[in-house]
Amino acid sequence: MSKADLLEAWQNHLADGRRRSPHTVRAYLAAANRLLEATGIVDFDALAALEGPDLRRQLAARRADGLSNASTARELSALKGFVAFARSQTGRDDTPPRLRGPRLKKGLPRPITPDDISNIADLIADDASEAWIGSRDRAVLYLMYGAGLRIAEALSLKGSDLPPGETLQVTGKGGKQRIVPLLPIVRAAITDYAAKCPYPLDNDGPLFRGAKGGALSQGMVQKAMARARVVLGLPSTATPHALRHSFATHLLGAGADLRSLQELLGHASLGSTQIYTKVDAATLLDTYRNAHPREKD
């Protein structure tokens, strides 16, 4: 066996066995390659024998290259998964090495960026006990950020909402219905989940199922996101509902008008939507301070 064989097996496991996103596959494959380069390992037996101190040395070398705490925590997740995979291939218990990640300082509350949202979705999918559960959670998160749905609205969808089209009819607070557009990436995430879900998605039944087949609860989504934000070093304000806030803030920053945003969010009054003008004011103030000549005196 060679290093290339190990990496190919790991890549196939991530892409085909676990159905990870291309972004996650690339990141985890790069981390595995760095570990093999540093240790000279070329077979599963030697890889499976690695323990916490071995991974700690690898992470220390990466930290010396300037890796941040959040990126170090992500790399540790990849390495532990790689060793656990090797152990499963050698007939051992696939429990990963015991090693705690770096302590992450609590940052000031800030909007969730698109990159952070992508990383949250990837981490949640990576940590899922089964591939279909990871696909399910990714689809729910994308509905909240990509379509501005409340968590309750996303979880109230039925099997009859399949297959996803370019728009989706949503029932919001007070039974008020609205039509929201679905981006291709959101439709693809829903379709991927529906194809993997082991339970029949009947028209009258819930679209998103829990591990035992019942309706998925809000608490499960909240706990999964809480675990991901700790790994990424995001503030406690990075909750599922913050995805909807980020959807609105980013649209407003890109030039969306308040009336259109009100319709997309399903707000009964324009006053509820105007809060996002205050959220975006921080960005405008930064721009002013950086551009106004009097600020540079």
Side-chain angles (χ1 to χ4, degrees), residues 97-109:
R98 297 186 63 182
L99 179 62
R100 295 183 64 180
R103 291 185 177 182
L104 300 172
K105 294 181 180 179
K106 293 183 178 180
L108 295 174

Side-chain angles (χ1 to χ4, degrees), residues 8 53 60 85 115 122 138 142 144 177 181-183 185 192 234 238 242 283 295:
E8 182 179 5
F85 170 65
D115 282 345
D122 285 342
R138 185 190 300 277
Y142 280 7
M144 289 187 286
Q177 293 187 327
L182 291 183
L183 298 171
I185 190 173
D192 180 61
L234 298 176
T283 301
E295 288 290 320

Side-chain angles (χ1 to χ4, degrees), residues 74-141:
R74 182 85 191 270
E75 180 120 345
L76 174 59
S77 177
L79 296 181
K80 289 169 71 174
F82 188 35
V83 174
F85 170 65
R87 291 177 176 179
S88 71
Q89 298 301 297
T90 57
R92 295 177 53 180
D93 183 349
D94 63 358
T95 302
R98 297 186 63 182
L99 179 62
R100 295 183 64 180
R103 291 185 177 182
L104 300 172
K105 294 181 180 179
K106 293 183 178 180
L108 295 174
R110 58 186 173 87
I112 305 178
T113 68
D115 282 345
D116 284 338
I117 292 167
S118 177
N119 286 333
I120 287 171
D122 285 342
L123 275 173
I124 288 176
D126 292 340
D127 288 341
S129 58
E130 297 183 52
W132 76 270
I133 291 177
S135 295
R136 177 201 68 192
D137 292 345
R138 185 190 300 277
V140 173
L141 296 183

Side-chain angles (χ1 to χ4, degrees), residues 23-273:
H23 173 79
T24 298
V25 173
R26 286 194 299 271
Y28 278 38
L29 194 62
N33 183 57
R34 286 188 288 268
L35 178 65
L36 297 182
E37 286 284 345
T39 60
I41 289 174
V42 294
D43 62 76
F44 279 126
D45 287 325
L47 180 59
L50 293 181
E51 296 293 349
D54 303 301
L55 300 189
R56 185 178 292 109
R57 282 192 291 272
Q58 175 67 9
L59 292 175
R62 293 283 289 141
R63 292 298 296 272
D65 293 334
L67 205 64
S68 69
N69 277 5
S71 296
T72 300
R74 182 85 191 270
E75 180 120 345
L76 174 59
S77 177
L79 296 181
K80 289 169 71 174
F82 188 35
V83 174
F85 170 65
R87 291 177 176 179
S88 71
Q89 298 301 297
T90 57
R92 295 177 53 180
D93 183 349
D94 63 358
T95 302
R98 297 186 63 182
L99 179 62
R100 295 183 64 180
R103 291 185 177 182
L104 300 172
K105 294 181 180 179
K106 293 183 178 180
L108 295 174
R110 58 186 173 87
I112 305 178
T113 68
D115 282 345
D116 284 338
I117 292 167
S118 177
N119 286 333
I120 287 171
D122 285 342
L123 275 173
I124 288 176
D126 292 340
D127 288 341
S129 58
E130 297 183 52
W132 76 270
I133 291 177
S135 295
R136 177 201 68 192
D137 292 345
R138 185 190 300 277
V140 173
L141 296 183
Y142 280 7
L143 275 168
M144 289 187 286
Y145 176 67
L149 269 61
R150 301 176 177 92
I151 186 172
E153 292 171 345
L155 299 186
S156 70
L157 296 179
K158 304 291 185 183
S160 57
D161 291 307
L162 294 174
E166 294 186 353
T167 60
L168 177 68
Q169 181 171 288
V170 179
T171 301
K173 290 183 177 180
K176 182 181 178 181
Q177 293 187 327
R178 69 184 188 277
I179 301 296
V180 297
L182 291 183
L183 298 171
I185 190 173
V186 180
R187 298 200 302 270
I190 296 172
T191 300
D192 180 61
Y193 155 68
K196 295 176 182 175
C197 182
Y199 302 106
L201 300 176
D202 302 324
N203 284 349
D204 296 330
L207 172 59
F208 294 110
R209 303 298 186 91
K212 296 182 179 180
L216 178 62
S217 69
Q218 294 187 28
M220 295 304 296
V221 179
Q222 292 163 343
K223 288 178 181 178
M225 190 159 175
R227 290 192 296 268
R229 73 170 177 250
V230 169
V231 173
L232 292 171
L234 298 176
S236 60
T237 52
T239 62
H241 193 64
L243 296 176
R244 174 173 154 93
H245 284 306
S246 299
F247 163 84
T249 303
H250 295 163
L251 278 183
L252 187 62
D257 64 90
L258 282 176
R259 286 292 181 186
S260 298
L261 193 57
Q262 178 188 2
E263 290 296 321
L264 288 172
L265 294 172
H267 286 159
S269 67
L270 189 61
S272 299
T273 313

